Amino acid sequence: MRRCPKPEAGLLFEEGNSFLKPGHEGTLGILVDSVILVRPDIDTADVGGLAAASGALTATGGRTAHASLIARQLGKACVVSCAGLTVDASARRAELGGESIREGDWLSIDGDTGEVFLGQREIVTERPEAALAEIEAWRVSASNDERDAAE
């Protein structure tokens, strides 16, 4: 069984409520929580699939598109209006930049930059240590000021 860190995953072109529940194996042996939902567009019928997936990629849409709004609310990576993406959901395949993608192929998306990568990529998450240290210093300073004012 293949599993990878979010948001990269194998493809699944299932529609809406027929999507498998998280943690269950699909026909390709991929855990559903490591799947990117690839659709021409996402509508209300696909919300269950998006909730179970680790992210979504659509050929159409924009910042205020249904897919974008729902993905943000669910904390999912989402790339909409992907240039060069054509999706044939009934055939369970897509084409991106002239490359054919089939269900089970690895795909990686970056919801922050809008980048899409064919293949499995290592997910690197960075913690903003310098910014967090500065905020902590503000907190300590404010706490000290309150204590001095109380004395």
Side-chain angles (χ1 to χ4, degrees):
M1 179 181 321
R2 296 183 297 183
R3 185 181 176 108
C4 62
K6 295 177 183 178
E8 68 182 73
L11 298 179
L12 187 67
F13 295 99
E14 290 284 340
E15 295 193 27
N17 295 327
S18 65
F19 202 93
L20 299 172
K21 296 195 181 312
H24 287 73
E25 285 186 55
T27 57
L28 298 173
I30 299 170
L31 283 181
V32 175
D33 63 348
S34 65
V35 168
I36 294 175
L37 184 65
V38 178
R39 308 284 299 143
D41 196 7
I42 291 182
D43 60 29
T44 55
D46 297 312
V47 171
L50 183 55
S54 59
L57 174 65
T58 68
T60 62
R63 291 182 56 83
T64 59
H66 188 260
S68 299
L69 297 173
I70 299 302
R72 272 194 296 271
Q73 289 300 313
L74 296 173
K76 308 291 180 164
C78 183
V79 176
V80 298
S81 193
C82 181
L85 176 67
T86 56
V87 179
D88 184 350
S90 62
R92 296 167 119 57
R93 68 175 178 234
E95 189 172 298
L96 178 61
E99 295 285 330
S100 181
I101 309 168
R102 298 195 163 279
E103 181 180 63
D105 288 346
W106 288 98
L107 179 71
S108 303
I109 62 174
D110 185 328
D112 289 332
T113 65
E115 292 177 289
V116 179
F117 306 96
L118 298 177
Q120 188 174 6
R121 309 271 295 203
E122 181 181 347
I123 301 295
V124 177
T125 54
E126 296 177 0
R127 188 175 159 105
E129 296 296 339
L132 292 172
E134 185 173 354
I135 292 169
E136 177 62 15
W138 295 342
R139 188 192 67 74
V140 169
S141 177
S143 177
N144 289 341
D145 289 348
E146 287 177 9
R147 189 178 10 199
D148 291 345
E151 292 177 355

